[in-house]
Amino acid sequence: MSGNFDRTLSREDVLRRRASLLQRLHIDGLLLVLLLVLAAGSLFILYSASGKNWDLVIKQGTSFGLGLGAMLVIAQFEPRFMARWVPLAYLGVVALLVAVEVVGHTAMGATRWINIPGVIRFQPSEFMKIIMPMTIAWYLSSRSLPPSIKHTAISLAMILIPFVLILKQPDLGTALLILASGAFVLFIGGLRWRWIISAVAAVVPIAVAMWYFVLRDYQKQRVLTFLDPESDPLGTGWNIIQSKAAIGSGGVFGKGWLSGTQSHLDFLPESHTDFIIAVLAEEFGLVGVCLLLVVYILLITRGLVITVQAQTLFGKLLAGALTMTFFVYVFVNIGMVSGLLPVVGVPLPFISYGGTSLVTLLSGFGVLMSIHTHRKWIAQV
């Protein structure tokens, strides 16, 4: 009896020490496990979606390594330290977006990258996905809430500057995500409902104005294709039609790994990036998609728990906005691949191939870990 009790205490001590070690390293164990599961799943699916291209798999694995490293480094900084440097970071990324306009690298008809030959090519707009909610959270956290008209107007101005710069690249998907990430902070900050209702009512005239004066021809065609993909089945409607075919052909259990016909016979475009979930659905069926959604739901739930437990207004606003923006990522990608939303070029988080976006996403989870693990020692920002 005594031996069993001693062994029980020993196991409890081990668990306590493990928790203490994670706390000292400022790592949230549940988030880390879920992210590693997604990393492993991503490489597994990418190998098939890319046509067994080991180069892409190795690059994705390298990006995961860099992203995890960035996540762990960012988690060491206290939220109040981040808040101190947010304005400078915001100005720096805006400067990079301006630099894209001047000396940016053009590919596939879009100028979105800064290319340093022989060193690195990166997409500055990806950094704004984290900097934007941090900036609005920093601004509102030192002011009375709900935000006044003045503070709301200033917040919207800070959101619209990078929004316009990214829209000109053109990159409508990223621009809308950045707009949403800033708007979520205002929403969490208690933005008055009458203003929210007014903004919703203004969507229609704004959409009409964007249709005639902002959207490019290919962007308009995406909307028309969304409304009627069968109108041009061999042209602009091809992507959605083939994506739906891949998803539907997978059935409940799928055709098996490396056995997807739509992707391996090159019917499915962008199978390793924006449309990778169609590959997952074809090869692993409804069961595979549901398992992925469970992991996403657990990540989002954990993010909401961290939001509720945050001890500072800055941390609460920022954690909530990052979590809700991550949800939008998942929702928009799955919605556009399944034909429920227009195609706007939003990758599936942690699954689609992409270096800068992957590092940025993991950095965002590093911020969440910092907010959670520093909560016992920080003072109000």
PDB file of all heavy atoms in Angstrom, residues 251-274:
ATOM      1  N   GLY A 251     -15.437  10.640 -50.465  1.00  0.00           N
ATOM      2  CA  GLY A 251     -16.413   9.920 -49.647  1.00  0.00           C
ATOM      3  C   GLY A 251     -16.133  10.050 -48.160  1.00  0.00           C
ATOM      4  O   GLY A 251     -15.627  11.066 -47.685  1.00  0.00           O
ATOM      5  N   VAL A 252     -16.441   9.001 -47.423  1.00  0.00           N
ATOM      6  CA  VAL A 252     -16.287   9.027 -45.975  1.00  0.00           C
ATOM      7  C   VAL A 252     -14.857   8.736 -45.544  1.00  0.00           C
ATOM      8  O   VAL A 252     -14.297   9.419 -44.685  1.00  0.00           O
ATOM      9  CB  VAL A 252     -17.248   8.017 -45.311  1.00  0.00           C
ATOM     10  CG1 VAL A 252     -17.028   7.978 -43.800  1.00  0.00           C
ATOM     11  CG2 VAL A 252     -18.694   8.371 -45.623  1.00  0.00           C
ATOM     12  N   PHE A 253     -14.230   7.729 -46.160  1.00  0.00           N
ATOM     13  CA  PHE A 253     -12.903   7.287 -45.716  1.00  0.00           C
ATOM     14  C   PHE A 253     -11.785   7.620 -46.700  1.00  0.00           C
ATOM     15  O   PHE A 253     -10.617   7.394 -46.402  1.00  0.00           O
ATOM     16  CB  PHE A 253     -12.920   5.781 -45.438  1.00  0.00           C
ATOM     17  CG  PHE A 253     -13.873   5.382 -44.351  1.00  0.00           C
ATOM     18  CD1 PHE A 253     -15.078   4.779 -44.651  1.00  0.00           C
ATOM     19  CD2 PHE A 253     -13.573   5.635 -43.019  1.00  0.00           C
ATOM     20  CE1 PHE A 253     -15.963   4.417 -43.647  1.00  0.00           C
ATOM     21  CE2 PHE A 253     -14.444   5.276 -42.013  1.00  0.00           C
ATOM     22  CZ  PHE A 253     -15.650   4.671 -42.319  1.00  0.00           C
ATOM     23  N   GLY A 254     -12.111   8.154 -47.869  1.00  0.00           N
ATOM     24  CA  GLY A 254     -11.095   8.552 -48.829  1.00  0.00           C
ATOM     25  C   GLY A 254     -10.556   7.412 -49.681  1.00  0.00           C
ATOM     26  O   GLY A 254     -10.853   6.247 -49.443  1.00  0.00           O
ATOM     27  N   LYS A 255      -9.744   7.776 -50.643  1.00  0.00           N
ATOM     28  CA  LYS A 255      -9.164   6.797 -51.568  1.00  0.00           C
ATOM     29  C   LYS A 255      -7.835   6.243 -51.079  1.00  0.00           C
ATOM     30  O   LYS A 255      -7.310   5.284 -51.658  1.00  0.00           O
ATOM     31  CB  LYS A 255      -8.949   7.451 -52.941  1.00  0.00           C
ATOM     32  CG  LYS A 255     -10.230   7.953 -53.604  1.00  0.00           C
ATOM     33  CD  LYS A 255      -9.920   8.675 -54.912  1.00  0.00           C
ATOM     34  CE  LYS A 255     -11.188   9.176 -55.578  1.00  0.00           C
ATOM     35  NZ  LYS A 255     -10.903   9.936 -56.817  1.00  0.00           N
ATOM     36  N   GLY A 256      -7.283   6.848 -50.042  1.00  0.00           N
ATOM     37  CA  GLY A 256      -5.994   6.392 -49.533  1.00  0.00           C
ATOM     38  C   GLY A 256      -4.877   7.350 -49.885  1.00  0.00           C
ATOM     39  O   GLY A 256      -4.942   8.056 -50.903  1.00  0.00           O
ATOM     40  N   TRP A 257      -3.856   7.364 -49.034  1.00  0.00           N
ATOM     41  CA  TRP A 257      -2.714   8.262 -49.242  1.00  0.00           C
ATOM     42  C   TRP A 257      -2.024   7.970 -50.565  1.00  0.00           C
ATOM     43  O   TRP A 257      -1.814   6.814 -50.937  1.00  0.00           O
ATOM     44  CB  TRP A 257      -1.733   8.081 -48.079  1.00  0.00           C
ATOM     45  CG  TRP A 257      -0.610   9.071 -48.060  1.00  0.00           C
ATOM     46  CD1 TRP A 257      -0.691  10.420 -48.197  1.00  0.00           C
ATOM     47  CD2 TRP A 257       0.782   8.777 -47.878  1.00  0.00           C
ATOM     48  NE1 TRP A 257       0.540  11.004 -48.103  1.00  0.00           N
ATOM     49  CE2 TRP A 257       1.474  10.014 -47.905  1.00  0.00           C
ATOM     50  CE3 TRP A 257       1.499   7.597 -47.679  1.00  0.00           C
ATOM     51  CZ2 TRP A 257       2.854  10.090 -47.753  1.00  0.00           C
ATOM     52  CZ3 TRP A 257       2.873   7.686 -47.518  1.00  0.00           C
ATOM     53  CH2 TRP A 257       3.540   8.912 -47.566  1.00  0.00           C
ATOM     54  N   LEU A 258      -1.709   9.024 -51.298  1.00  0.00           N
ATOM     55  CA  LEU A 258      -1.051   8.969 -52.616  1.00  0.00           C
ATOM     56  C   LEU A 258      -1.954   8.408 -53.706  1.00  0.00           C
ATOM     57  O   LEU A 258      -1.490   8.138 -54.811  1.00  0.00           O
ATOM     58  CB  LEU A 258       0.244   8.137 -52.561  1.00  0.00           C
ATOM     59  CG  LEU A 258       1.309   8.574 -51.553  1.00  0.00           C
ATOM     60  CD1 LEU A 258       2.490   7.613 -51.562  1.00  0.00           C
ATOM     61  CD2 LEU A 258       1.797   9.985 -51.848  1.00  0.00           C
ATOM     62  N   SER A 259      -3.242   8.230 -53.411  1.00  0.00           N
ATOM     63  CA  SER A 259      -4.159   7.624 -54.389  1.00  0.00           C
ATOM     64  C   SER A 259      -5.186   8.606 -54.931  1.00  0.00           C
ATOM     65  O   SER A 259      -6.139   8.200 -55.594  1.00  0.00           O
ATOM     66  CB  SER A 259      -4.894   6.430 -53.745  1.00  0.00           C
ATOM     67  OG  SER A 259      -3.975   5.437 -53.329  1.00  0.00           O
ATOM     68  N   GLY A 260      -5.035   9.874 -54.646  1.00  0.00           N
ATOM     69  CA  GLY A 260      -5.980  10.860 -55.159  1.00  0.00           C
ATOM     70  C   GLY A 260      -5.789  11.091 -56.644  1.00  0.00           C
ATOM     71  O   GLY A 260      -4.681  11.362 -57.109  1.00  0.00           O
ATOM     72  N   THR A 261      -6.850  10.970 -57.408  1.00  0.00           N
ATOM     73  CA  THR A 261      -6.744  11.109 -58.868  1.00  0.00           C
ATOM     74  C   THR A 261      -6.772  12.567 -59.303  1.00  0.00           C
ATOM     75  O   THR A 261      -6.055  12.950 -60.238  1.00  0.00           O
ATOM     76  CB  THR A 261      -7.889  10.348 -59.554  1.00  0.00           C
ATOM     77  OG1 THR A 261      -9.140  10.797 -59.008  1.00  0.00           O
ATOM     78  CG2 THR A 261      -7.762   8.848 -59.317  1.00  0.00           C
ATOM     79  N   GLN A 262      -7.584  13.397 -58.675  1.00  0.00           N
ATOM     80  CA  GLN A 262      -7.711  14.793 -59.097  1.00  0.00           C
ATOM     81  C   GLN A 262      -6.383  15.534 -58.985  1.00  0.00           C
ATOM     82  O   GLN A 262      -6.023  16.306 -59.871  1.00  0.00           O
ATOM     83  CB  GLN A 262      -8.769  15.509 -58.255  1.00  0.00           C
ATOM     84  CG  GLN A 262     -10.170  14.958 -58.391  1.00  0.00           C
ATOM     85  CD  GLN A 262     -10.708  15.094 -59.793  1.00  0.00           C
ATOM     86  OE1 GLN A 262     -10.950  14.115 -60.479  1.00  0.00           O
ATOM     87  NE2 GLN A 262     -10.881  16.326 -60.238  1.00  0.00           N
ATOM     88  N   SER A 263      -5.652  15.301 -57.909  1.00  0.00           N
ATOM     89  CA  SER A 263      -4.386  15.999 -57.714  1.00  0.00           C
ATOM     90  C   SER A 263      -3.243  15.349 -58.471  1.00  0.00           C
ATOM     91  O   SER A 263      -2.438  16.030 -59.115  1.00  0.00           O
ATOM     92  CB  SER A 263      -4.047  16.072 -56.221  1.00  0.00           C
ATOM     93  OG  SER A 263      -3.997  14.774 -55.655  1.00  0.00           O
ATOM     94  N   HIS A 264      -3.165  14.030 -58.434  1.00  0.00           N
ATOM     95  CA  HIS A 264      -2.026  13.345 -59.061  1.00  0.00           C
ATOM     96  C   HIS A 264      -2.116  13.318 -60.588  1.00  0.00           C
ATOM     97  O   HIS A 264      -1.101  13.125 -61.257  1.00  0.00           O
ATOM     98  CB  HIS A 264      -1.903  11.927 -58.510  1.00  0.00           C
ATOM     99  CG  HIS A 264      -1.412  11.880 -57.103  1.00  0.00           C
ATOM    100  ND1 HIS A 264      -0.094  12.035 -56.755  1.00  0.00           N
ATOM    101  CD2 HIS A 264      -2.077  11.752 -55.919  1.00  0.00           C
ATOM    102  CE1 HIS A 264       0.049  11.981 -55.450  1.00  0.00           C
ATOM    103  NE2 HIS A 264      -1.151  11.811 -54.916  1.00  0.00           N
ATOM    104  N   LEU A 265      -3.296  13.510 -61.133  1.00  0.00           N
ATOM    105  CA  LEU A 265      -3.447  13.605 -62.587  1.00  0.00           C
ATOM    106  C   LEU A 265      -3.530  15.062 -63.039  1.00  0.00           C
ATOM    107  O   LEU A 265      -3.891  15.356 -64.174  1.00  0.00           O
ATOM    108  CB  LEU A 265      -4.694  12.839 -63.048  1.00  0.00           C
ATOM    109  CG  LEU A 265      -4.654  11.322 -62.813  1.00  0.00           C
ATOM    110  CD1 LEU A 265      -5.961  10.684 -63.264  1.00  0.00           C
ATOM    111  CD2 LEU A 265      -3.472  10.697 -63.548  1.00  0.00           C
ATOM    112  N   ASP A 266      -3.198  15.982 -62.106  1.00  0.00           N
ATOM    113  CA  ASP A 266      -3.103  17.422 -62.392  1.00  0.00           C
ATOM    114  C   ASP A 266      -4.425  18.066 -62.793  1.00  0.00           C
ATOM    115  O   ASP A 266      -4.437  19.082 -63.498  1.00  0.00           O
ATOM    116  CB  ASP A 266      -2.049  17.696 -63.481  1.00  0.00           C
ATOM    117  CG  ASP A 266      -0.643  17.355 -63.021  1.00  0.00           C
ATOM    118  OD1 ASP A 266      -0.387  17.484 -61.809  1.00  0.00           O
ATOM    119  OD2 ASP A 266       0.174  16.957 -63.864  1.00  0.00           O
ATOM    120  N   PHE A 267      -5.539  17.495 -62.353  1.00  0.00           N
ATOM    121  CA  PHE A 267      -6.817  18.166 -62.565  1.00  0.00           C
ATOM    122  C   PHE A 267      -7.020  19.298 -61.546  1.00  0.00           C
ATOM    123  O   PHE A 267      -7.656  20.291 -61.843  1.00  0.00           O
ATOM    124  CB  PHE A 267      -7.981  17.167 -62.441  1.00  0.00           C
ATOM    125  CG  PHE A 267      -8.113  16.240 -63.611  1.00  0.00           C
ATOM    126  CD1 PHE A 267      -7.674  14.933 -63.523  1.00  0.00           C
ATOM    127  CD2 PHE A 267      -8.672  16.674 -64.800  1.00  0.00           C
ATOM    128  CE1 PHE A 267      -7.784  14.081 -64.605  1.00  0.00           C
ATOM    129  CE2 PHE A 267      -8.796  15.831 -65.890  1.00  0.00           C
ATOM    130  CZ  PHE A 267      -8.348  14.524 -65.787  1.00  0.00           C
ATOM    131  N   LEU A 268      -6.492  19.110 -60.352  1.00  0.00           N
ATOM    132  CA  LEU A 268      -6.687  20.067 -59.276  1.00  0.00           C
ATOM    133  C   LEU A 268      -5.538  21.068 -59.253  1.00  0.00           C
ATOM    134  O   LEU A 268      -4.387  20.705 -59.005  1.00  0.00           O
ATOM    135  CB  LEU A 268      -6.772  19.337 -57.928  1.00  0.00           C
ATOM    136  CG  LEU A 268      -7.061  20.184 -56.699  1.00  0.00           C
ATOM    137  CD1 LEU A 268      -8.450  20.792 -56.798  1.00  0.00           C
ATOM    138  CD2 LEU A 268      -6.937  19.342 -55.428  1.00  0.00           C
ATOM    139  N   PRO A 269      -5.807  22.357 -59.509  1.00  0.00           N
ATOM    140  CA  PRO A 269      -4.741  23.371 -59.505  1.00  0.00           C
ATOM    141  C   PRO A 269      -4.358  23.769 -58.084  1.00  0.00           C
ATOM    142  O   PRO A 269      -5.151  23.632 -57.153  1.00  0.00           O
ATOM    143  CB  PRO A 269      -5.395  24.547 -60.246  1.00  0.00           C
ATOM    144  CG  PRO A 269      -6.849  24.407 -59.936  1.00  0.00           C
ATOM    145  CD  PRO A 269      -7.118  22.920 -59.826  1.00  0.00           C
ATOM    146  N   GLU A 270      -3.138  24.298 -57.939  1.00  0.00           N
ATOM    147  CA  GLU A 270      -2.664  24.779 -56.634  1.00  0.00           C
ATOM    148  C   GLU A 270      -2.921  23.756 -55.534  1.00  0.00           C
ATOM    149  O   GLU A 270      -3.324  24.102 -54.426  1.00  0.00           O
ATOM    150  CB  GLU A 270      -3.349  26.106 -56.283  1.00  0.00           C
ATOM    151  CG  GLU A 270      -3.207  27.196 -57.320  1.00  0.00           C
ATOM    152  CD  GLU A 270      -1.770  27.642 -57.517  1.00  0.00           C
ATOM    153  OE1 GLU A 270      -0.970  27.480 -56.579  1.00  0.00           O
ATOM    154  OE2 GLU A 270      -1.450  28.133 -58.605  1.00  0.00           O
ATOM    155  N   SER A 271      -2.679  22.483 -55.853  1.00  0.00           N
ATOM    156  CA  SER A 271      -3.033  21.418 -54.908  1.00  0.00           C
ATOM    157  C   SER A 271      -2.172  21.432 -53.648  1.00  0.00           C
ATOM    158  O   SER A 271      -2.582  20.888 -52.617  1.00  0.00           O
ATOM    159  CB  SER A 271      -2.916  20.052 -55.592  1.00  0.00           C
ATOM    160  OG  SER A 271      -1.599  19.842 -56.064  1.00  0.00           O
ATOM    161  N   HIS A 272      -0.996  22.045 -53.695  1.00  0.00           N
ATOM    162  CA  HIS A 272      -0.128  22.060 -52.524  1.00  0.00           C
ATOM    163  C   HIS A 272      -0.214  23.377 -51.748  1.00  0.00           C
ATOM    164  O   HIS A 272       0.423  23.533 -50.713  1.00  0.00           O
ATOM    165  CB  HIS A 272       1.332  21.790 -52.913  1.00  0.00           C
ATOM    166  CG  HIS A 272       1.928  22.849 -53.791  1.00  0.00           C
ATOM    167  ND1 HIS A 272       1.520  23.054 -55.087  1.00  0.00           N
ATOM    168  CD2 HIS A 272       2.901  23.764 -53.551  1.00  0.00           C
ATOM    169  CE1 HIS A 272       2.216  24.052 -55.610  1.00  0.00           C
ATOM    170  NE2 HIS A 272       3.054  24.496 -54.695  1.00  0.00           N
ATOM    171  N   THR A 273      -1.026  24.325 -52.251  1.00  0.00           N
ATOM    172  CA  THR A 273      -1.156  25.610 -51.557  1.00  0.00           C
ATOM    173  C   THR A 273      -2.615  25.847 -51.160  1.00  0.00           C
ATOM    174  O   THR A 273      -3.098  25.269 -50.208  1.00  0.00           O
ATOM    175  CB  THR A 273      -0.619  26.759 -52.438  1.00  0.00           C
ATOM    176  OG1 THR A 273      -1.271  26.720 -53.734  1.00  0.00           O
ATOM    177  CG2 THR A 273       0.876  26.630 -52.651  1.00  0.00           C
ATOM    178  N   ASP A 274      -3.317  26.692 -51.911  1.00  0.00           N
ATOM    179  CA  ASP A 274      -4.660  27.099 -51.493  1.00  0.00           C
ATOM    180  C   ASP A 274      -5.669  25.953 -51.463  1.00  0.00           C
ATOM    181  O   ASP A 274      -6.595  25.957 -50.649  1.00  0.00           O
ATOM    182  CB  ASP A 274      -5.184  28.197 -52.427  1.00  0.00           C
ATOM    183  CG  ASP A 274      -4.380  29.481 -52.314  1.00  0.00           C
ATOM    184  OD1 ASP A 274      -3.555  29.575 -51.391  1.00  0.00           O
ATOM    185  OD2 ASP A 274      -4.560  30.377 -53.151  1.00  0.00           O
TER     186      ASP A 274
END
